Structures are given as C-alpha cells and as structure tokens.
Amino acid sequence: MKKRIKSAKKNNGFTLIELMVVITIILIMLGFLIPKLYGYQQKAKQTKAINTAKQIQTAAMASYSDCNQEFDTIDVKNTIGELTGVDNTSTIVAAAGTIHQNVNVTFKSDSAIYVVGVDAQSSNFTVTDIVSKAVIFPKTPAVTAIVP
C-alpha cells in the first residue's frame, strides 16, 4: 500500500481580520492628516491675500505720488485696476486720515473679504480679515508675561 502524504492546503491570502486591522490603521492615520492639510490650505489662502495686499499697497503708493502726496479714491481705484490683478469692480476704496494720508481698500480673495490699510507716512500696510476681524499681516508677536 502506498503511503499518501496529504499536502496541506496553503492559503496565500489575507484573512478578513488582517485586512480590517490594516484599513483601521490607515483611517486613523488619515484622521491625523486631514486637519493638518486644512491648516496648510488656510495658510496658503492667507499668504495669497497678503501678496495681493502688497500689490494693492504698491499701486496705492504709486497713485499717492502721482496725486501730489495724497490719496484720491478714484485714482487709487483706477491705479489698482491697472497695476494689479485685483478685480476693479469688487474693490472699495476709502481715503481717511488728515489730508488723505491713509487709505483703506476692501478686496476679495478666495471667497474671503479683506481690508488693506495703507499708511503713506510710514509706507506700511495692514491686512485684516473682515469676517474674523483678525489682523493677518503684520503678525503681532505673542506677548509672554514674565513672572518674578
């Protein structure tokens, strides 16, 4: 009589439990990654708004020097339309301060509305998000209290 050696049948696949564990681990890792990506997206939108604000500030200062050292709202709006990629119809310009030395320009970037405040005396500008009323440029450093 011949001895037959039964060959054990080998499973060359994964079990259902192993697959579920791997999928669970991937989902947990995605849970950590998605909020981080959202933060990067928000930072990119703010950076775009700051770059647009810098272009607006440059155009406003060009208009300032063309109009005898004061901001003329109509000329500022036209100069912004000519020198930047900002939509001229969505731009609102309001001159302020003594003898129009400051100007506020409202513009839209990535479906958010911002205000650029341009100061002719210091040639500086600030960018504020209208909805959150947060100044996004320049960033103010966090003040830490020193306890004696």
Side-chain angles (χ1 to χ4, degrees), residues 1-143:
M1 190 179 220
K2 286 185 177 179
K3 285 186 175 180
R4 262 192 193 178
I5 300 175
K6 286 187 178 180
S7 62
K9 186 178 176 185
K10 286 188 172 182
N11 268 347
N12 290 334
F14 295 106
T15 65
L16 183 60
I17 298 296
E18 290 172 331
L19 289 174
M20 288 175 55
V21 168
V22 169
I23 290 172
T24 304
I25 291 171
I26 290 171
L27 290 175
I28 289 171
M29 291 173 71
L30 282 175
F32 289 121
L33 184 64
I34 289 174
K36 204 67 153 157
L37 292 176
Y38 180 74
Y40 291 142
Q41 185 180 26
Q42 290 302 106
K43 182 66 176 168
K45 286 180 180 181
Q46 284 185 351
T47 301
K48 181 180 176 185
I50 292 169
N51 288 337
T52 302
K54 178 61 180 165
Q55 291 176 1
I56 290 172
Q57 187 253 357
T58 302
M61 291 307 291
S63 170
Y64 177 80
S65 64
D66 288 345
C67 293
N68 298 323
Q69 307 302 314
E70 81 176 31
F71 289 116
D72 178 23
T73 57
I74 296 170
D75 190 59
V76 169
K77 187 171 183 173
N78 291 336
T79 306
I80 289 171
E82 292 170 6
L83 299 179
T84 68
V86 178
D87 183 14
N88 202 10
T89 59
S90 66
T91 306
I92 300 170
V93 178
T98 57
I99 316 172
H100 301 289
Q101 297 297 308
N102 301 324
V103 66
N104 294 326
V105 179
T106 304
F107 71 99
K108 190 175 184 180
S109 176
D110 288 326
S111 71
I113 301 173
Y114 300 95
V115 174
V116 180
V118 180
D119 181 16
Q121 298 295 325
S122 63
S123 295
N124 289 333
F125 68 100
T126 58
V127 184
T128 306
D129 184 350
I130 287 188
V131 175
S132 66
K133 294 184 176 42
V135 176
I136 62 171
F137 185 83
K139 291 280 187 191
T140 54
V143 177

Side-chain angles (χ1 to χ4, degrees), residues 141-147:
V143 177
T144 57
I146 299 174
V147 180

